[in-house]
Structures are given as structure tokens and as C-alpha cells.
Amino acid sequence: MLNHRMVYNVKVQKPIWYNVIESIPPSETVTRPFPPQHKAPNPKTRKPSRLFQPQKLVYEEDGLRSQFYRDHPWELARPRVIVEMDGRDAERYDWSKGLRQPGMPLCGESVVQRQLWMMHNVEGMTTEKTYDIVRKEFYTLRHEEDVERRIAKEEAMKMGAYFGKNSMQVSMELEDQQYENWRKWAGKQISSVQAEQDAAYTNFGAAEEGDAEAEDFDVKEPVAETVPAEKPS
């Protein structure tokens, strides 16, 4: 194709995908291969379209992770850095030494990996027992972090440092602001509804008075005045 020239002395430009297709040629089969099975197939599956769907991969850590975050939902609100150096950082962690690992902040994943290590390396350990042990270690370390943070803040304030409003104060101010906006809006709505009700009552009374006046006013026919007869002298 590249040697063919539509115009004489004009070289055909090589496409961008040419080298890729040359090094990785497409498959010659047009049929979709059957995916590898990781578990026994479901005998109730009757539709052929269900045979080629990828199977759901379930790991042992998934159950431990869901249990921990179900009991500690606020741990999901803590910011985490998931950037790794070379993608093999987990190989440098030694969970036999505890929850604290170099280069990894304390989080729920530390509890999961520590619990998983104890289940496979300590004899006589069940899932519930290891969860209780690791959870107590986690609470102790979290308490130490809170104490260190509070002491560091007190020392800094003693040296003249000034800290702004914390997240609780900011959230309370925002909540109060929204409440005040709602209160003003509700007051305007109540005033408008009250004005409409007063106007309706006023118009209704005026209409009744006008009807009553119209009923009392009767047009009477003029009566001819009679002149009394003169008495005979």
C-alpha cells in the first residue's frame, strides 16, 4: 500500500496506526472467546447473553472492609492520599509490627490488612476475635493522635499563635444563616397570606352592605297632591 503512488513522485504518508498494527496484529478469529470461569456456573442461567458476562471478583478483604466501615462510617470522611510511588508500596508494609506503617497514615485499610494478617498467621484466631483486637489497637492510636493534636494546639496558642474558626463553628454559622433566610422568607409568606385574607373579608363585607342598601332603596311613584275643598260660606 505504501509503495503504491496515486501521483507520480509523491510519496504516500505512513498512517499513525501502521506500526502498532504491524507489531500487534488483530486476532484472526471473529468469535467471542468464552471467559475463564472462577466458580461453578449457575445452572439456572438460560439466556445465552448471560454466558459471556465477566464474573464478579470477590476478595477476602471485601467483607472485612465493609464490616469496619459499617461500624465506623465517619472514617470515610477523613481525606486520604492514594498516590503510590511505584505501585508496589504494599510489598514494603510489615503488618506483623502493628498498624503504623512507614509512609502510610493510619486509616481503615490499616485495620483490614492487620486483621487479615492475624487471621492467616496467628493460630486460633477467628474473624471476630481478630477484629476486636485490631479495633482496640486502632482506638488507642486514634486517641494518641487526638491528644498530640490538642497539646500541639495549646502550645502554639501559648506562643501567640492564632487559629481561626474550626469546622464545627463554620458549619453552625452556615446553619444559622440558612435559618435566618428561611425565617425572613416565612415571615413574608405569612404577611402576604394575611393580607389576602384581610382583603377578602373586607370585600365580602362591602359587597353585603352594598346589596343591603340596594334592597332598602325603593323607587316610589309620585302621588298627586289633593287640594282640600273650600267650605261654603
Side-chain angles (χ1 to χ4, degrees):
M1 184 183 72
L2 298 178
N3 295 329
H4 180 72
R5 299 182 181 180
M6 299 294 296
V7 182
Y8 184 71
N9 292 332
V10 176
K11 188 176 181 181
V12 179
Q13 186 178 3
K14 183 185 295 187
I16 301 176
W17 46 263
Y18 185 82
N19 295 332
V20 178
I21 295 298
E22 184 180 8
S23 58
I24 309 174
S27 176
E28 296 181 358
T29 59
V30 295
T31 59
R32 188 175 182 181
F34 190 73
Q37 301 297 309
H38 302 283
K39 62 180 181 179
N42 187 5
K44 297 182 180 180
T45 303
R46 299 297 182 184
K47 296 183 179 180
S49 59
R50 297 287 182 181
L51 299 176
F52 299 98
Q53 290 187 351
Q55 296 186 9
K56 184 178 180 181
L57 300 180
V58 181
Y59 296 93
E60 189 177 4
E61 298 93 325
D62 297 338
L64 306 179
R65 193 176 292 111
S66 61
Q67 181 182 10
F68 175 80
Y69 285 111
R70 184 172 59 251
D71 298 338
H72 309 81
W74 283 105
E75 286 296 325
L76 294 173
R78 295 180 180 269
R80 287 191 58 191
V81 179
I82 59 176
V83 178
E84 296 182 351
M85 301 299 296
D86 55 358
R88 305 178 64 181
D89 295 0
E91 297 179 1
R92 292 188 288 270
Y93 299 148
D94 187 5
W95 297 108
S96 62
K97 297 181 179 180
L99 292 176
R100 291 192 182 277
Q101 298 295 327
M104 180 179 181
L106 184 64
C107 60
E109 191 65 23
S110 303
V111 177
V112 174
Q113 297 299 329
R114 171 70 172 171
Q115 182 182 0
L116 186 65
W117 181 88
M118 293 184 66
M119 290 171 57
H120 291 280
N121 294 274
V122 181
E123 296 182 0
M125 286 292 180
T126 60
T127 304
E128 293 77 11
K129 190 174 182 179
T130 53
Y131 181 64
D132 293 338
I133 295 174
V134 179
R135 186 177 53 180
K136 291 179 181 178
E137 296 178 359
F138 178 77
Y139 293 160
T140 303
L141 295 178
R142 278 287 186 229
H143 182 67
E144 291 179 359
E145 290 181 353
D146 294 340
V147 172
E148 292 176 358
R149 191 181 302 109
R150 184 170 63 252
I151 293 176
K153 182 178 180 179
E154 293 177 356
E155 291 178 351
M157 294 178 64
K158 202 69 175 181
M159 298 301 295
Y162 175 79
F163 294 92
K165 300 177 182 178
N166 54 24
S167 57
M168 181 63 69
Q169 294 174 347
V170 173
S171 60
M172 291 300 295
E173 289 183 357
L174 294 175
E175 185 177 352
D176 294 341
Q177 183 179 0
Q178 293 298 326
Y179 174 75
E180 289 296 330
N181 296 336
W182 174 84
R183 191 171 63 84
K184 294 179 182 179
W185 173 83
K188 293 180 181 179
Q189 294 294 324
I190 294 174
S191 300
S192 61
V193 172
Q194 189 68 31
E196 291 178 0
Q197 293 178 354
D198 295 342
Y201 287 130
T202 303
N203 296 335
F204 181 75
E208 285 186 348
E209 291 178 0
D211 296 340
E213 291 177 359
E215 292 177 358
D216 294 342
F217 181 76
D218 295 333
V219 179
K220 298 180 180 181
E221 296 180 357
V223 180
E225 296 181 357
T226 56
V227 179
E230 295 181 359
K231 295 179 180 182
S233 58

